[in-house]
Amino acid sequence: MKEIIENMLAGTRPEKDMRAANRGKHLGDFPESLQPDPDTLRPAAVLVPLIDHPTGLTVLLTLRTDTLPEHPGQVAFPGGRVEPVDSGALDAALRETEEEIGLPRHYVRPVGYLPQYLTITGYSVIPVVGFVRPGFTPRPDPTEVAEIFEVPLDFILDPANRRRETREFRGTNVSYYVIPYSVGGRDYRIWGATAAMLVDFAQRIQNRIEQVG
């Protein structure tokens, strides 16, 4: 599976102008009528951390605290805004990940990028995929991260483990993915942008597997 992912992402690069890259495109998992003005999009980057366990790959995710002003209590990838101090999306994703969960960047081997995702809250997000060497000690930032947990990649790849739901937002019905996951008596609801990026990742892997036979 690692080889499939590496080959699939080989040579991928993030767009340099995140606003221009989204202009005129129907991105994000919501109706075009709800997309924000491309000129107001805020650049962000997240790490899609694939923990390289001997038993198989897992995806590390965080549960955001209930006190955050945006997306409180939701499951998310570690990451955040691209700041002036960052050299690019990769640097921002690694910096934010270390700040949020204490994962040192030398534990991460980046392998490529997924397509940008436009969120309903006005962010243009670049997902950075990286293999993570196990053995680090998680140190969640208590102001941002309530929990850290892992989901087997095989679980994410199985279409039976995802569904579509619809809710009304600003007078418009919005359809989105939901990936319910339970472990150790704890139930997690992965949905919205995070679920959409995971489903996109899973579908690309499946397509790659079918291509190579």
Side-chain angles (χ1 to χ4, degrees):
M1 181 59 68
K2 286 176 60 180
E3 184 177 355
I4 290 173
I5 294 172
E6 289 188 74
N7 290 337
M8 179 185 75
L9 297 177
T12 54
R13 296 288 186 274
E15 293 88 345
K16 292 183 179 180
D17 185 344
M18 285 179 270
R19 294 177 302 170
N22 284 298
R23 188 172 290 112
K25 296 182 180 180
H26 179 59
L27 298 179
D29 202 29
F30 49 89
E32 190 171 359
S33 61
L34 294 178
Q35 293 187 19
D37 182 347
D39 292 323
T40 66
L41 289 173
R42 294 165 288 179
V46 297
L47 181 67
V48 181
L50 303 177
I51 312 298
D52 189 11
H53 293 291
T55 54
L57 296 171
T58 63
V59 182
L60 184 148
L61 295 167
T62 71
L63 182 67
R64 294 165 63 85
T65 62
D66 292 328
T67 56
L68 288 171
E70 293 184 319
H71 309 293
Q74 294 185 15
V75 172
F77 294 116
R81 293 190 188 188
V82 177
E83 303 289 357
V85 297
D86 299 315
S87 61
L90 174 59
D91 194 34
L94 294 177
R95 175 186 56 77
E96 285 280 352
T97 297
E98 186 160 9
E99 291 175 0
E100 288 183 12
I101 65 172
L103 172 58
R105 63 177 62 205
H106 64 264
Y107 273 82
V108 183
R109 181 167 67 87
V111 292
Y113 301 85
L114 297 175
Q116 292 181 73
Y117 187 89
L118 182 64
T119 74
I120 208 165
T121 51
Y123 285 96
S124 182
V125 183
I126 293 181
V128 181
V129 179
F131 293 124
V132 179
R133 175 166 51 90
F136 74 97
T137 301
R139 291 183 291 99
D141 179 347
T143 65
E144 296 189 52
V145 179
E147 295 181 41
I148 300 171
F149 65 101
E150 297 177 35
V151 182
L153 181 59
D154 285 344
F155 183 90
I156 299 295
L157 295 178
D158 188 347
N161 295 325
R162 67 183 80 125
R163 64 173 185 260
R164 297 286 288 186
E165 292 186 1
T166 302
R167 67 167 58 179
E168 184 177 311
F169 183 80
R170 297 176 186 169
T172 301
N173 286 333
V174 179
S175 181
Y176 52 90
Y177 281 106
V178 177
I179 306 173
Y181 179 68
S182 299
V183 60
R186 185 78 166 86
D187 297 326
Y188 297 96
R189 187 171 185 269
I190 308 165
W191 68 286
T194 302
M197 286 185 273
L198 282 171
V199 170
D200 177 70
F201 185 38
Q203 291 173 339
R204 289 174 185 277
I205 291 174
Q206 187 58 48
N207 290 340
R208 183 71 180 186
I209 292 173
E210 292 174 359
Q211 289 173 2
V212 300

